Structures are given as C-alpha cells and as structure tokens.
Amino acid sequence: MKTKSTNYTIEKANEELQKNAQKVKQSKFWLGYHIAPPAGWLNDPNGLVFYKGEYHAFYQHYPYASEWGPMHWGHAKSKDLIHWEHLPVALAPEYDYEAGGCFSGSAVVSGDEMYLIYTGHNEQRDPKEVQCVAKSTDGIHFEKLTENPVISVPPADGSPDFRDPKVWMQNDIWNMVVGSSKDGIGKAVLYRSKDLKDWEYTGVMVESDGTQGDMWECPDFFSLSDDIDVLIFSPMNMEGSKTRYMIGKMDQETGKFEAKNSGEIDYGIDFYAPQTFQDDQNRRILISWMNMWKKDMPEQTDGWAGALTIPRELSVENEKLIMKPVEEMKNLRTNQLVSTYEKEIKVADLCLEIEMVVTLDSSSKLGFILSSEIGESIVVGYDANEKQIITDRRGMQQGEQDLCQAQYQTENNEITLRAYIDRSSIELFVDGGKLVMTNRFYFKGDNITLSIEGEKSDIQEVSVWELKATMENKL
C-alpha cells in the first residue's frame, strides 16, 4: 500500500463541515431544494449513479474554505431526486499522485460494489494528472485501489491536461472517455478494460474541428437509443460556449464517434461541467454545476459557495438535445399562489415554480420580474422584438449584473415558460426543454414582489406554486 503523503483526511474534512454547517444554513442565499455543500466550496458534479435503490451525487468539494482548494469528493444521496441527504466526504487527497486534489470523474456499479473513477492531480508531479479508482460495498465508505494510478501517463495523442474520466459498460467491456488536448485542439480519448484496473488505450474518440475549444473538460458519453449516441463536454476557450453536446454514432469496433449535429446544452451563465447517469426507469438524467468560473459568488462571505442544478431528463428531438425537469419536481409543489393572471403578488419565500403560456402578438417583453423594496430586480422571459429568451440581471445590486440572452423562434404563436426559482437561482425551461437557461442571482433587499410582464391578453395561462424547502444542512 502506498504511504499517505498529505495532511488531508476524510475525518478532518467531516469535522470541519460539522463545525460550520449550522452557520451556513443561516445564509440569505442558502438554497431550499438544490444540492449545495454543508460548508465550503462545491463545483463539478461527479459520480452520479443509482445504487441499491438510491440516487447518489458526488461533487468537487473543498471543506476548509468557501473557495477552490485541493479537491475532495462531497456526497449526497436521495430516494426520490428531491429530498437530498448529506453523507460523509467520500474522497480526500491523501497520496502523492493526488496531492493537488481528487479531481472530477464518475461512478459505476459492478455486482454489489460501487466504484469511483477519478483524476489524481499533482502540479508538482510529472505527469500531473493520472486516473485512479476507489471502491465501496456500502456506497459511503471508499477504499482506494492499491493499483492506483490505474492509468499513469497520458496517451501520445493527448497532453498533461488529462482528466475527468467517465466510465460505462458496453458489450461487457468497461469504456472510459477522458478529456484532453494537443496543439490547441480539445479532444476526448478512449480506453477499455475488463476489470476497471487494467486499461488499454483505444484512441481518439473525437476531437475539435479547430473551433470547439483547446481542452475538453468533463466529457460524458451515452446512448439514448440504438441509433443515437451523445457526447457532452465543457470546452475551454471556446468563444460563446460553455457546455456542448454532439449527437451521432460511435463505431463500437474502432471507438470513433461521428457527430451529425452539435449545440449548446444550457444558455445560462451559471452552468458548467454537466454529468449524466441512467436510473432504474431507464431515464438519462443530467445534473450540472450551477455556477461558473471567475464569476461573483456573494454566498462566499457566508462560508459556502456553489450548488448543483435540479435533475433534468434528457431526450433527442429533431437531432437536438432536449432537457426537461424530472417529473418528481412536481412533488415539491405545496400552495398554488396564482392560477389566473395577476399583475403582481408578494412572495414570502423565493422557493417557487412559475409556469406561463404567452402569445407572441403584441407585447415586446413577456415573462416575469422579481424585485425587492430597495429597487433591485431581475427580468426573465421572452423579448418579442429581438426574438430572444432573456434573463436580465442588470437591475441587481450584487452578483453578476448582465443580460443573458439566446435566440429562439417557434412556428407556433405561443411559448411555454417554466421557471424554478430557489432563493438565489433561476432555471428556465422553454417549450418543454427546447431551450434552457440557468443563472444565479442575489437580492440584498427583502419583501420580494413577483410581477407579470405583458398584458393580460398576451398571457394565456399563468400558475405560480410555492415549493417545499427539502435540503436540510446536516451531516
């Protein structure tokens, strides 16, 4: 067994979280029904998996401060995708090959055991990134393999940037796609194994055409039918893009993926590093980091930072990826505040679901506005003049103050807007998930008012529900 070479341990991490969790829960921006860290920092979701009748979500985590540091793996589980329970930290960077952090990866189930496959990172080591495995018989306590790192050098097709393994079983063989780059070209490289320990390099699955970023982070490959394979990835340094999908087909013999179509997954600012898994109902479910690098995160002053999106079910329609809230989200509804058109209502708690059907005839903007008594506001909806879906944060007094916009046209004369609001986040789904926009927002003031934007004649339907706050902050 390798000798531990850092001061980080799972025990110390959990002690730190327990010490700070109650303070964090008092944060004005603490989310009601999203996964967020008990304290400290959260970024990429990792190891999304259905195991022994429960949903597990791991995530990149630094327990000791509300900023990025040597990555641990945080952990939460749920029986229904809406009530999440924090579990002890699953991985800490204990050994030399991972001294800089247990970076992103994935989880699989083999027999009765759960395996976590992740990147060990150490900037002082050559190579700096290697692939590693840990296993568990209970889905809570993990033991790292003595064979680690199971892939100790990047392929000649790649570079020292060699991270974020996604593993899946196909034709009785384990497949692993890893993000990498070479000569300014982002790419996904493929490995195969029979036992999750000995891996053979297959080759480049697919790479950038020169316009799709110079490094592909967090690749994820899956099939939605016999004819439809999907690759998602987060390209670095791609103008106007954060998260991409490619729809096509992989040749099982060669491991080459041929893309027919590609697009942006989510047009919001606060969306990065999505990952997916298949549950016991054969749904392909996606969860993403609900923040973005180099953006203002006011919750950091409260001892925490970062959250994950609500779970979203994926499908393909007309060679485009569709992403809608999982059906279980409707079980969060409690009191229906609005069932017909009302110009404005006062909101006691910003845990809301808003659904509107708007016509596109006359008003220039259709949607809703959230505002406080000190004059700050955020506008969400459809700009008919510009034919754009918008989330306008320019009226805010803290956090990012910008206009998020995405072109959207429909052959119909109406658009359905469905928004999930959770104290400091808005996830907007347009026409059943044909376009999605995720953003964080931060009110200084209280006494929040919800106002409908558009004339009564333009609003065919409007419903507003209060949602249960289900996320307890305890370990």
Side-chain angles (χ1 to χ4, degrees):
M1 187 69 180
K2 294 180 175 68
T3 302
K4 295 187 178 182
S5 58
T6 78
N7 292 321
Y8 292 110
T9 68
I10 287 173
E11 292 74 21
K12 287 181 181 178
N14 289 320
E15 288 173 8
E16 186 73 12
L17 293 175
Q18 288 177 335
K19 183 173 70 176
N20 297 319
Q22 282 310 110
K23 174 193 170 188
V24 165
K25 192 176 181 181
Q26 308 309 313
S27 170
K28 180 182 177 70
F29 310 120
W30 181 251
L31 297 156
Y33 52 89
H34 287 78
I35 296 173
W41 170 275
L42 171 155
N43 58 282
D44 307 356
N46 303 143
L48 307 179
V49 69
F50 188 79
Y51 177 66
K52 294 184 178 180
E54 295 179 309
Y55 299 93
H56 289 255
F58 301 84
Y59 51 85
Q60 291 285 275
H61 182 36
Y62 187 58
Y64 300 97
S66 57
E67 58 190 25
W68 191 91
M71 287 290 97
H72 296 53
W73 275 38
H75 188 191
K77 72 173 183 176
S78 173
K79 294 183 184 300
D80 61 5
L81 290 173
I82 57 173
H83 295 82
W84 292 93
E85 170 191 353
H86 285 300
L87 293 173
V89 169
L91 298 176
E94 303 161 289
Y95 299 100
D96 175 66
Y97 59 79
E98 61 189 13
C102 298
F103 275 19
S104 292
S106 52
V108 297
V109 176
S110 181
D112 286 334
E113 294 180 320
M114 185 196 296
Y115 288 80
L116 304 183
I117 305 95
Y118 65 98
T119 295
H121 179 90
N122 184 343
E123 203 72 37
Q124 310 306 315
R125 202 170 171 271
D126 184 17
K128 67 178 182 179
E129 292 182 333
V130 295
Q131 312 316 318
C132 309
V133 179
K135 70 176 181 177
S136 171
T137 57
D138 62 5
I140 298 175
H141 305 93
F142 291 86
E143 179 182 348
K144 294 169 184 172
L145 300 191
T146 57
E147 293 89 346
N148 281 344
V150 296
I151 303 178
S152 57
V153 294
D157 294 320
S159 71
D161 289 308
F162 175 55
R163 56 184 174 266
D164 311 334
K166 178 59 183 279
V167 174
W168 72 98
M169 172 70 80
Q170 198 156 357
N171 297 334
D172 297 322
I173 294 290
W174 293 109
N175 292 254
M176 177 198 291
V177 62
V178 187
S180 195
S181 67
K182 190 167 187 179
D183 301 327
I185 298 294
K187 58 182 66 186
V189 297
L190 183 66
Y191 288 79
R192 284 176 171 161
S193 171
K194 294 180 179 178
D195 60 5
L196 295 169
K197 298 176 184 178
D198 296 315
W199 292 90
E200 182 179 337
Y201 180 58
T202 303
V204 176
M205 176 190 280
V206 63
E207 63 184 14
S208 167
D209 61 8
T211 68
Q212 298 159 309
D214 55 17
M215 167 65 193
W216 286 2
E217 294 194 304
C218 302
D220 187 355
F221 176 86
F222 52 91
S223 298
L224 285 176
S225 72
D226 290 340
D227 301 318
I228 298 174
D229 294 333
V230 181
L231 179 75
I232 64 176
F233 58 97
S234 297
M236 297 179 69
N237 301 311
M238 179 178 176
E239 187 68 32
S241 179
K242 307 176 309 305
T243 53
R244 305 290 295 175
Y245 69 86
M246 292 179 173
I247 294 174
K249 190 66 184 169
M250 184 174 82
D251 185 309
Q252 289 300 313
E253 288 191 16
T254 65
K256 300 292 185 184
F257 178 78
E258 183 178 345
K260 297 178 182 178
N261 194 23
S262 67
E264 191 77 1
I265 297 179
D266 187 300
Y267 289 85
I269 303 299
D270 294 305
F271 185 96
Y272 193 74
Q275 287 290 288
T276 75
F277 69 104
Q278 190 174 47
D279 74 352
D280 62 334
Q281 301 172 49
N282 292 321
R283 297 181 296 180
R284 178 59 56 170
I285 297 173
L286 177 147
I287 295 175
S288 182
W289 183 30
M290 195 167 60
N291 288 91
M292 186 58 189
W293 299 111
K294 299 179 181 178
K295 299 296 181 182
D296 194 14
M297 300 168 73
E299 72 264 34
Q300 287 180 290
T301 60
D302 296 334
W304 68 286
L308 302 182
T309 65
I310 63 171
R312 306 166 179 191
E313 183 178 357
L314 300 183
S315 60
V316 168
E317 185 178 309
N318 298 323
E319 295 191 343
K320 293 186 177 181
L321 195 65
I322 306 298
M323 186 162 56
K324 66 179 182 180
V326 293
E327 192 67 18
E328 289 90 335
M329 292 300 298
K330 291 180 180 178
N331 296 330
L332 287 174
R333 295 173 179 171
T334 55
N335 181 39
Q336 186 169 8
L337 298 176
V338 173
S339 58
T340 59
Y341 180 90
E342 292 185 40
K343 191 63 180 174
E344 63 179 43
I345 60 168
K346 296 294 183 182
V347 177
D349 187 5
L350 271 174
C351 289
L352 303 172
E353 179 188 348
I354 301 172
E355 192 162 29
M356 303 176 65
V357 179
V358 302
T359 57
L360 308 183
D361 287 331
S362 54
S363 293
S364 60
K365 289 184 180 178
L366 301 158
F368 61 88
I369 303 170
L370 294 171
S371 57
S372 75
E373 84 283 359
I374 63 172
E376 58 199 333
S377 65
I378 181 169
V379 182
V380 179
Y382 182 71
D383 185 329
N385 288 334
E386 301 294 332
K387 293 183 170 54
Q388 291 179 337
I389 301 297
I390 64 165
T391 299
D392 189 347
R393 301 187 290 187
R394 293 175 296 183
M396 301 301 298
Q397 295 184 16
Q398 64 182 345
E400 297 295 319
Q401 297 159 39
D402 54 18
L403 175 62
C404 181
Q405 52 199 342
Q407 291 297 129
Y408 187 75
Q409 297 190 49
T410 175
E411 295 177 1
N412 301 324
N413 197 39
E414 63 183 42
I415 290 178
T416 299
L417 305 171
R418 185 179 179 189
Y420 281 89
I421 299 166
D422 191 1
R423 296 175 182 161
S424 61
S425 68
I426 293 183
E427 293 165 85
L428 177 64
F429 298 83
V430 180
D431 284 343
K434 292 180 178 178
L435 186 146
V436 185
M437 186 175 281
T438 301
N439 291 285
R440 300 292 300 274
F441 70 98
Y442 303 91
F443 277 117
K444 283 186 174 180
D446 299 302
N447 300 317
I448 306 300
T449 299
L450 168 66
S451 305
I452 300 302
E453 190 168 36
E455 299 303 317
K456 186 175 183 179
S457 58
D458 299 320
I459 311 298
Q460 290 189 35
E461 301 174 28
V462 57
S463 295
V464 180
W465 293 271
E466 290 181 316
L467 301 183
K468 288 183 284 190
T470 57
M471 194 71 197
E472 294 187 22
N473 196 23
K474 63 182 182 180
L475 288 165

